[in-house]
Amino acid sequence: MTPPQPAPLTGLRVLDLATLFAGPMAATLLGDFGAEVIKIEHPRKPDPSRGHGPSKDGIGLWWKTLGRNKRTVTLDLSRPGGRATLLRLAATADVIVENFRPGTLEKWDLGWPELSAVNPRLVLARVTGFGQFGPSAHRPGFGTLAEAMSGFAAITGEPDAPPTLPPFGLADAVAGLTTAYAVMTALAARERTGEGQVVDTALIEPILAVLGPQPLWYDQLGHVQPRTGNRSPNNAPRGVYRTADGTWVAVSTSAQSVAERVMRLVGRPELIDEPWFATGADRARHADVLDEAVGSWIAERTRADVLAAFEKAEAAVAPIQDVRDVMNDPQYQALNTITTVDDPELGPLRMQNVLFRLSATPGGIRWAGRPHGADTDEVLTELGLTETDLEELRTEGVL
């Protein structure tokens, strides 16, 4: 049998200086595929994600996912000993991820000139609300502000209701994914040039990118996309429909052939012959008629019957699932999307698996988020610091 290959990012060293979600998520994604990630936190002010959301036995559960595959080190970067120690770590690293406000690292003499001087091959990924320059660069920035500024909230919700923000860190997650991609792009460039560079991710930009061609529509047509609730201006029927047993399903008809199959399934084939049925945009203008046809048919049947009928008709449908359904969904189970990780603090933990599958060099979760500073002595000793050095740093308040 061929021995398993190392994970694809094995040998890559990442220093995660970021807090909360976007920057740390980027580092998590790199760690999931083999990178050695060293999470650096303030000794007296740990990453706030450790306290976000529900906890068990005083241990934050969000951190168990966000901090997985990371060794944890405490270091006060604002103190001389912390600065010197970070520079020693930077000399051994491939990537640093940080999300301080612009100018903070520079205030500590840890900006790009100092970091690249000790390691010209370093990639410095900087994640902020508004980017490293511009009139808003120095404002505090969070995902909520990006969701508001990007146009996402403006198009989300019912037409006669207020704009709607997501109940989770959407902009942060999109920026985390983007930053991981940007880091890999910079590392690919390093293979050609031998030199590192700075990655500048602003939370307000990736979420704008995934909203589609809104700027182009406005530029060419003056079109401003309105809120349409669960309906789409591009096709119909499309939305969520209540079943006879009180559950909900989602239906999509982005393809013309699927729209025709749905109409035949619900017993309204005559609608297919209407002149306006030939395009998605025209169908969307007659959404009331189509929603009534689909909604009334679904309302007379249980969710199981609806799903079975749609599957037989090769029409697109999915149940509206909460996390309880997700944990038991057979497709997720087949994909091993939810995996179990043994944790010394809490025992077996079920959480999302790595983001995608690689056939030859898969990623994996080696451990869940570790306690604050659990690996400080080990990591710094590997760096060459002695017990005396560690004691001096503790006396200085660096660790």
Side-chain angles (χ1 to χ4, degrees):
M1 177 181 291
T2 303
Q5 296 295 311
L9 301 184
T10 298
L12 196 74
R13 173 172 269 202
V14 178
L15 306 182
D16 176 7
L17 278 57
T19 58
L20 290 174
F21 305 116
M25 180 180 176
T28 300
L29 295 172
L30 299 174
D32 282 352
F33 287 90
E36 177 199 6
V37 181
I38 299 173
K39 173 73 176 183
I40 296 177
E41 300 173 84
H42 193 282
R44 291 164 293 281
K45 294 179 287 186
D47 189 327
S49 67
R50 290 181 179 272
H52 264 61
S55 63
K56 181 181 179 182
D57 299 335
I59 300 169
L61 296 177
W62 203 327
W63 168 252
K64 286 298 181 182
T65 295
L66 192 64
R68 70 194 195 187
N69 293 332
K70 299 180 183 182
R71 294 203 283 173
T72 58
V73 171
T74 59
L75 209 58
D76 185 344
L77 304 181
S78 68
R79 298 175 184 263
R83 175 186 182 275
T85 304
L86 182 72
L87 287 174
R88 290 183 66 169
L89 281 167
T92 72
D94 298 282
V95 179
I96 291 179
V97 181
E98 65 95 2
N99 69 339
F100 300 106
R101 285 200 214 179
T104 301
L105 283 184
E106 288 74 10
K107 179 178 65 177
W108 298 332
D109 292 325
L110 288 171
W112 179 240
E114 292 81 9
L115 293 170
S116 60
V118 300
N119 186 353
R121 291 175 55 81
L122 185 69
V123 171
L124 174 62
R126 317 194 76 168
V127 187
T128 57
F130 305 100
Q132 294 296 312
F133 54 90
S136 296
H138 292 276
R139 291 173 51 199
F142 298 97
T144 297
L145 306 188
E147 290 144 11
M149 287 183 62
S150 64
F152 172 84
I155 64 170
T156 304
E158 296 297 328
D160 56 352
T164 301
L165 295 166
F168 67 101
L170 175 62
D172 283 287
V174 176
L177 289 162
T178 301
T179 302
Y181 166 66
V183 165
M184 297 309 299
T185 302
L187 291 172
R190 189 181 74 174
E191 290 298 305
R192 295 197 308 273
T193 67
E195 296 182 352
Q197 59 184 296
V198 177
V199 170
D200 178 7
T201 302
L203 293 184
I204 60 173
E205 291 183 304
I207 189 169
L208 175 59
V210 302
L211 288 179
Q214 288 192 47
L216 182 59
W217 287 342
Y218 180 74
D219 174 64
Q220 295 296 303
L221 302 172
H223 174 71
V224 178
Q225 184 173 339
R227 287 191 295 283
T228 55
N230 288 318
R231 288 180 172 177
S232 166
N234 303 311
N235 65 81
R238 189 262 198 184
V240 298
Y241 305 91
R242 190 179 180 92
T243 64
D245 51 354
T247 61
W248 295 83
V249 297
V251 173
S252 175
T253 57
S254 295
Q256 179 71 21
S257 59
V258 173
E260 293 175 6
R261 289 176 201 148
V262 169
M263 289 302 102
R264 293 189 183 98
L265 173 64
V266 302
R268 298 294 302 276
E270 75 280 1
L271 293 175
I272 299 172
D273 297 325
E274 293 287 347
W276 48 261
F277 198 88
T279 70
D282 282 340
R283 293 200 310 275
R285 296 186 186 97
H286 294 80
D288 287 343
V289 174
L290 296 173
D291 277 346
E292 192 282 327
V294 174
S296 61
W297 185 91
I298 289 176
E300 296 174 352
R301 291 160 176 82
T302 66
R303 184 171 78 171
D305 288 341
V306 170
L307 297 178
F310 267 73
E311 181 175 357
K312 184 177 180 181
E314 298 184 1
V317 70
I320 301 294
Q321 299 191 149
D322 63 21
V323 68
R324 294 168 295 186
D325 302 311
V326 168
M327 299 294 267
N328 294 296
D329 182 277
Q331 183 60 31
Y332 282 130
Q333 290 176 346
L335 295 173
N336 195 28
T337 305
I338 304 296
T339 191
T340 300
V341 181
D342 288 325
D343 181 68
E345 291 186 290
L346 296 176
L349 304 175
R350 289 193 293 169
M351 64 176 67
Q352 298 98 319
N353 208 337
V354 299
L355 199 57
F356 49 86
R357 287 163 292 282
L358 296 178
S359 62
T361 56
I365 303 171
R366 302 181 294 283
W367 60 82
R370 289 173 55 72
H372 182 228
D375 304 290
T376 300
D377 287 9
E378 180 181 64
V379 170
L380 298 187
T381 300
E382 292 171 358
L383 197 63
L385 276 68
T386 65
E387 288 294 332
T388 301
D389 295 330
L390 296 177
E391 187 58 37
E392 288 178 355
L393 291 174
R394 287 193 171 88
T395 300
E396 186 185 341
V398 171
L399 305 182

